[in-house]
Amino acid sequence: MTADVDSERPGERRKRAQEAVSYELFRDDWGIPHLRADDALTLARAQGHATALDRAWQLETERHRVLGTSASHLGAEAVDWDRFVRRARIADTARRCFDRLAPETAAWVTAYVDGVNEGLAEGAERAPEFAAVGLAPGRWQPWTPLGVWLSTHILFAGFPTKLWREEVARRLGEDRTTLFATDGPGTAGSNGWLLTGARTATGAPIVAGDPHRFIEDPGVYQQIRLACPEFDVVGLAVPGIPGIAHFGHTGHVAWAITNAMADYQDLYREQVRRTPDGGVEALGPDGWYRAHAHTETIEVAGAEPERVEVIETDRGPVIIGDGPGAGDEAAGAPPAADGTFISLRYPPRVTGELGFDALPALHRARTVADVDTALDRWVEPVNVVLAADTAGATLHRVAGHVPVRPYANRLRVVPAEDPAYAWREGETVPLPRTEADGADGIAVMANECGLAAPLGVEFAPPHRARRIRELLGADTGWTPDAQATVHTDTRLASSRKLLSLLAWAPGIGPAAERLRDRLLRWDRHMDADSTDATLYARLRTDVVHRLAAHPALNGVTGEDDPWRSTAYPALFRPWLAAVPRIGYALESLLTVGLLPYEDRLALVAASAEAVAAAAEETPPGPWGELHRLSPWQALPDLAPDSSDAEAIRPGVAGDHDCVLSTSGVPGVTDLFARGPAARYVWDLGRREDSRWVVPFGASGVPGSAHHRDQTPLWVRGELAPVVTDWNLLHRTKPHRTKPHRTTHHPEENPAMTAATEPVAPALRPAVHEQKIEGFGTVRLVPVDPAADAELLHGWVTEERARFWGMADHTLEQVREIYEFIDSLPTHHAYLALRDGVPAALFQTYEPDADPVGECYDVQPGDFGVHLLIAPAEGEGAVKGYTETLLTAFIAYVFSDPAHVRVVVEPDARNEKAIARMARIGFELGPEIRKPEKTARLAFLTRAALGLGLA
């Protein structure tokens, strides 16, 4: 067993000062520590000491998690983790990485550890958890912070997903390996964005965002300020780690990160065998060789100790598979358990580098160039970074270590004995970077397949990134306070596919029709007070379960669910459970070829019937009553006031693919454990205008004034000020915490919604405006079904519009049709105005969400359009009238870089329209049969117009 002792590095033993260190501890009204010291080492010691006072139980929990000794006081439920970190050799890797630190960094980390050890006894006296489990705080070693960082992030890259893909390929076929590709249980929806001075009210950049990860109580992020003559930085620290790594503002430059979703850890299928002397051999490219092996004992509170054999091959520590059977096998005998042993290869174990040498340089940074240089030394985890400085310079890059190896390593478990799957020694993948100050003055990072695309396999859907960019693009006078609008946006774009199928679901009964009408009129916002959001969540859950029961997925569901397999440790079950995988990947599973379109329609129709019937019996309540925070705690809540149970599990808005990514497990539970673990806004114009908030509070001590005083702010989406004026802070004694009065924030009254008068088309905001020489100004404005029904009815019922298919419709029917279109997220209708006068009806749609998508092979980037010219003017009124309007419409469509090809489907009998399309560059396609007509497909690509791909 690895002993919990360590010696100082040779030549670096230093005399411990006996007198009190010289530093000052201040706190703001939220209890947030602001530390000031004479030098960086004293400041690091002060940070460790203050953290021990505020977070003693959390620090002790993390230390035991590093060592694999949590079960000694938490019991059998912690054994799985303890076994994993011992097998993965987290503590030993932390020692290796500490030994390779630059001497000045090692001294800085050691100073932090000294402060922790000095403060732990006092902090433990204040934390009731120690008495509850009969535990005394242990002693931190100089390498312990590196171990905390490793244990916190070892699952961040999601290597267990390779086990899931392995099972999918084996059970459903190799072609289905990435069927469920999306961000899964090990990741979360972090957001970050940068606004250049062109987009802000002050003319200085703003960096903002919110790291979404598993929410813990106490929180994983600690708001703190660290000041000495060398630097003065505010930011979000990780308790147990010196300094500020991921989110900081030095007064001159600010930076922030999101998970790059890179793949940089590999799993190898090992062949191992027991030798006659009890040792272990593994099969490598050059044959059998002696592997490292030793045995450790896990103490378990309330149960017998458990022994674990720690094996390490040339690839890395074996994390899956029981020890090879003992016996009388000869050295040349076949392996004892072929294919049941899997090793983990991860960069810090291979290189002995973790990236801590970057941290002191980040604190001293004054420009984005300084941040850029510092991050060249970063290793784990791999992040996308945004940064800006007071001079207006910006940075957008990836930082970290990604090894060079075959692409297959990213996807699956690969054979250890095959040299083709080895890492290229000393080589790393070049890290992407791009400009952060483009023409629109906006940069966004949201775990999407963007800048880091060459580095990973599975990324978050693009919805959050697109929505953030959409929101930010709507204004050029952004302020720090206004960032809350983005932080708390609840638009659920991923609902599009399910609702589109619901819109076309055939043969449903009256109750299901009412459900459909209600959901198609829903604004798609997962607001806490929305009963429609609850109804949608019910429908989604039912669809997930029906998919899980479908024969197409029989190999990975029900009794065959990989979650039930005993081949893998229980720790990895969240990555191996089929129903959560289906829930997370629902949008793509309803889009790609898992099921025929008719089967998807029938499945959604059946769900609509079931959910509608249930809703008749039990009407849905507000979303926030079901969608509650369920944070991880090492021990149950020990707050003295039982009413605090509501404070730790508040009802919150949002959902998995919202910007406010409060992620439950679709199909399993509406409770959520992943969400914004902090929010921040860094203002480069005035640092004192920066903002931040965490889910609970600055203190980890149950019952203290600042244990959960930020929760109401966090729930409402509000932010606390970053106080930088020392005169506005409360000075405390270094070894005491002074209580402060909590600021009360009464709940806001619900907003009143007033009825609005119809707005004339010429007064509506335009989605596109284009001045055409010799023709006039063309504006596209959204159709208002109620206000425009009479106008549209007059157009579509004329003989000249017979191919539109609405000649016999009443005014009420026309209005209902456009209300239906208005309810769809995939279909839109616009009035085209020429110099303010309605001139045409222009409709757009996404082919894969429309019946036409079943008639041809929809390509990525396809975008469908319909056009009806108003009767007031025709082709004869102005030469080239229709072609000129089409020019404006196509310019609008291709203004979105996601649109690659325009699709039209005129009636096959409409020879005039078909000829016009061919004349302006459309390539004619085949005829298709639709229920209402036979149509002729035609396509216009960017390339045909000489635009190229965006």
Side-chain angles (χ1 to χ4, degrees):
M1 179 177 177
T2 302
D4 184 16
V5 297
D6 194 25
S7 61
E8 293 177 315
R9 300 168 69 185
E12 293 180 10
R13 185 179 303 274
R14 59 187 176 83
K15 180 180 178 181
R16 309 292 184 180
Q18 299 301 314
E19 64 276 11
V21 294
S22 174
Y23 72 88
E24 299 172 288
L25 171 62
F26 297 78
R27 296 187 186 271
D28 65 12
D29 287 338
W30 299 95
I32 296 169
H34 293 243
L35 294 160
R36 189 163 64 186
D38 293 336
D39 57 74
L41 289 181
T42 303
L43 184 61
R45 191 168 182 170
Q47 183 186 4
H49 188 270
T51 303
L53 296 182
D54 289 351
R55 307 288 185 100
W57 172 248
Q58 184 177 17
L59 292 180
E60 185 67 5
T61 297
E62 294 301 334
R63 188 182 70 86
H64 281 282
R65 284 175 62 82
V66 170
L67 297 172
T69 55
S70 299
S72 66
H73 58 280
L74 297 180
E77 67 178 20
V79 168
D80 290 329
W81 174 263
D82 285 355
R83 185 181 293 112
F84 167 68
V85 296
R86 288 170 184 255
R87 284 179 162 181
R89 310 203 71 184
I90 296 297
D92 186 67
T93 304
R95 291 187 184 93
R96 287 187 183 184
C97 293
F98 181 83
D99 287 341
R100 289 181 62 90
L101 289 176
E104 59 272 20
T105 306
W108 175 70
V109 174
T110 302
Y112 177 87
V113 168
D114 287 345
V116 169
N117 287 327
E118 289 163 2
L120 269 178
E122 182 179 347
E125 290 177 0
R126 303 167 55 202
E129 295 94 340
F130 286 91
V133 297
L135 188 68
R139 186 167 185 81
W140 278 48
Q141 302 302 326
W143 51 264
T144 303
L146 285 77
V148 171
W149 191 261
L150 270 172
S151 67
T152 299
H153 295 100
I154 188 65
L155 296 173
F156 223 58
F159 69 80
T161 296
K162 298 179 184 182
L163 304 176
W164 166 256
R165 294 194 203 108
E166 198 73 16
E167 292 301 313
V168 171
R170 184 170 65 85
R171 298 160 183 251
L172 298 183
E174 296 284 338
D175 61 328
R176 296 295 177 91
T177 300
T178 59
L179 178 65
F180 301 86
T182 186
D183 60 331
T187 60
S190 296
N191 304 307
W193 58 91
L194 183 154
L195 294 162
T196 66
R199 284 277 174 185
T200 67
T202 64
I206 289 175
V207 178
D210 45 4
H212 289 62
R213 56 195 299 165
F214 282 105
I215 295 178
E216 303 176 10
D217 179 29
V220 70
Y221 287 116
Q222 174 192 31
Q223 299 147 297
I224 201 165
R225 182 183 185 184
L226 304 172
C228 66
E230 297 176 68
F231 55 83
D232 182 346
V233 58
V234 298
L236 302 173
V238 174
I241 310 298
I244 294 167
H246 282 164
F247 311 95
H249 192 330
T250 70
H252 307 281
V253 62
W255 68 93
I257 63 94
T258 58
N259 184 355
M261 308 295 285
D263 185 277
Y264 50 90
Q265 301 167 327
D266 285 350
L267 296 178
Y268 287 89
R269 183 176 294 103
E270 300 277 0
Q271 296 187 47
V272 300
R273 66 187 183 188
R274 186 75 66 189
T275 61
D277 64 356
V280 174
E281 288 185 336
L283 182 63
D286 299 321
W288 292 94
Y289 64 94
R290 187 86 170 193
H292 170 91
H294 71 274
T295 301
E296 299 182 9
T297 300
I298 301 175
E299 301 293 337
V300 185
E304 291 298 314
E306 295 196 18
R307 292 175 66 80
V308 56
E309 186 172 26
V310 177
I311 301 171
E312 185 166 13
T313 72
D314 287 351
R315 265 69 55 193
V318 173
I319 61 169
I320 296 173
D322 294 327
D328 57 358
E329 300 174 14
D338 185 20
T340 61
F341 296 86
I342 295 176
S343 62
L344 171 66
R345 189 170 181 83
Y346 58 104
R349 186 69 186 164
V350 175
T351 67
E353 300 284 351
L354 194 53
F356 268 43
D357 284 324
L359 298 181
L362 280 175
H363 302 155
R364 296 181 176 91
R366 301 180 70 85
T367 66
V368 293
D370 295 338
V371 171
D372 195 15
T373 300
L375 291 175
D376 286 340
R377 287 172 275 182
W378 190 250
V379 175
E380 170 105 1
V382 179
N383 298 318
V384 177
V385 183
L386 286 173
D389 60 31
T390 53
T394 59
L395 176 69
H396 191 185
R397 63 164 291 181
V398 176
H401 180 110
V402 180
V404 176
R405 78 277 202 221
Y407 185 77
N409 292 42
R410 300 187 192 180
L411 290 173
R412 303 273 293 276
V413 182
V414 294
E417 70 277 8
D418 191 336
Y421 300 102
W423 290 12
R424 294 187 191 173
E425 187 174 355
E427 294 187 44
T428 60
V429 176
L431 299 177
R433 60 175 62 232
T434 188
E435 296 298 323
D437 54 355
D440 61 355
I442 300 169
V444 177
M445 52 182 182
N447 315 120
E448 77 282 13
C449 184
L451 183 64
L455 308 178
V457 176
E458 298 190 15
F459 297 86
H463 307 304
R464 286 184 288 108
R466 289 176 180 172
R467 181 62 172 167
I468 292 169
R469 186 172 289 279
E470 176 187 352
L471 292 169
L472 295 175
D475 196 2
T476 55
W478 285 101
T479 64
D481 286 336
Q483 303 309 303
T485 303
V486 184
H487 280 132
T488 59
D489 186 77
T490 60
R491 175 81 176 182
L492 187 66
S494 62
S495 65
R496 175 191 62 85
K497 187 59 186 180
L498 176 52
L499 293 179
S500 295
L501 289 170
L502 178 64
W504 303 104
I508 58 177
E513 284 186 348
R514 288 192 293 273
L515 177 144
R516 176 170 65 185
D517 292 344
R518 178 174 175 180
L519 285 181
L520 292 181
R521 287 177 171 78
W522 172 45
D523 63 5
R524 276 69 168 177
H525 284 270
M526 300 295 285
D527 293 331
D529 60 356
S530 171
T531 56
D532 289 342
T534 303
L535 192 62
Y536 171 78
R538 287 185 182 181
L539 178 66
R540 177 176 60 186
T541 294
D542 194 90
V543 170
V544 167
H545 284 285
R546 289 179 190 274
L547 272 176
H550 196 280
L553 294 178
N554 275 353
V556 293
T557 56
E559 293 300 317
D560 294 324
D561 194 326
W563 180 85
R564 301 176 183 274
S565 173
T566 59
Y568 304 115
L571 183 71
F572 301 135
R573 284 181 178 171
W575 286 266
L576 292 166
V579 172
R581 286 286 179 183
I582 294 169
Y584 288 126
L586 182 62
E587 184 182 16
S588 61
L589 292 176
L590 292 177
T591 302
V592 299
L594 174 66
L595 302 179
Y597 180 68
E598 293 77 11
D599 288 3
R600 284 177 266 155
L601 284 176
L603 186 145
V604 172
S607 288
E609 295 284 6
V611 172
E616 298 280 318
E617 294 289 329
T618 308
W623 177 234
E625 290 185 3
L626 299 175
H627 192 59
R628 292 184 173 275
L629 174 62
S630 182
W632 181 85
Q633 294 175 289
L635 283 179
D637 191 37
L638 295 177
D641 184 358
S642 61
S643 66
D644 209 41
E646 176 70 16
I648 195 175
R649 292 178 175 82
V652 181
D655 198 59
H656 185 65
D657 288 319
C658 299
V659 176
L660 179 52
S661 183
T662 48
S663 180
V665 184
V668 178
T669 179
D670 293 324
L671 299 176
F672 70 94
R674 292 193 292 159
R679 296 189 184 103
Y680 60 90
V681 180
W682 303 143
D683 187 351
L684 275 303
R686 286 168 43 91
R687 187 169 68 161
E688 58 267 36
D689 289 339
S690 297
R691 301 286 186 267
W692 53 11
V693 75
V694 293
F696 299 118
S699 173
V701 180
S704 73
H706 302 298
H707 185 209
R708 293 183 184 143
D709 57 339
Q710 294 186 51
T711 300
L713 287 182
W714 182 81
V715 170
R716 295 195 301 267
E718 298 175 11
L719 298 151
V722 174
V723 180
T724 58
D725 186 342
W726 295 99
N727 295 315
L728 300 178
L729 300 171
H730 310 277
R731 183 175 182 179
T732 71
K733 294 181 180 179
H735 296 279
R736 293 289 183 267
T737 302
K738 182 178 179 181
H740 303 294
R741 181 179 301 172
T742 301
T743 304
H744 296 283
H745 297 267
E747 295 291 337
E748 295 179 358
N749 293 326
M752 302 297 291
T753 303
T756 57
E757 293 293 326
V759 178
L763 300 179
R764 296 174 199 163
V767 299
H768 180 72
E769 183 169 331
Q770 184 174 346
K771 186 174 182 180
I772 302 174
E773 190 68 26
F775 185 82
T777 299
V778 177
R779 300 177 70 243
L780 289 178
V781 301
V783 165
D784 182 334
D788 300 336
E790 186 172 354
L791 171 69
L792 297 179
H793 180 258
W795 289 2
V796 302
T797 54
E798 285 206 352
E799 167 61 21
R800 63 186 301 280
R802 63 189 182 278
F803 295 121
W804 202 253
M806 298 169 64
D808 59 348
H809 282 45
T810 66
L811 186 147
E812 182 66 13
Q813 288 173 323
V814 171
R815 181 184 62 78
E816 288 178 353
I817 286 172
Y818 284 95
E819 283 180 343
F820 176 72
I821 291 173
D822 189 54
S823 73
L824 298 176
T826 55
H827 293 59
H828 301 284
Y830 305 99
L831 284 177
L833 310 180
R834 179 191 177 213
D835 293 333
V837 178
L841 173 61
F842 180 61
Q843 295 177 203
T844 67
Y845 63 92
E846 296 181 20
D848 65 352
D850 188 271
V852 74
E854 300 302 312
C855 301
Y856 84 104
D857 184 17
V858 178
Q859 300 297 310
D862 277 3
F863 196 69
V865 303
H866 298 297
L867 172 64
L868 177 65
I869 301 298
E873 299 196 59
E875 268 197 284
V878 176
K879 185 174 178 60
Y881 184 87
T882 301
E883 284 85 349
T884 304
L885 281 177
L886 270 170
T887 299
F889 301 155
I890 291 169
Y892 165 64
V893 170
F894 283 141
S895 67
D896 185 339
H899 300 154
V900 177
R901 185 170 68 161
V902 176
V903 181
V904 295
E905 37 153 330
D907 193 299
R909 298 167 296 170
N910 193 346
E911 296 177 357
K912 188 176 181 180
I914 294 172
R916 179 186 301 118
M917 296 302 173
R919 194 162 57 244
I920 64 175
F922 278 76
E923 180 181 352
L924 298 182
E927 287 190 355
I928 58 173
R929 287 191 172 275
K930 298 180 65 180
E932 73 279 9
K933 68 179 180 181
T934 297
R936 182 71 180 269
L937 287 173
F939 307 96
L940 180 67
T941 65
R942 284 179 173 273
L945 296 178
L947 298 177
L949 293 177

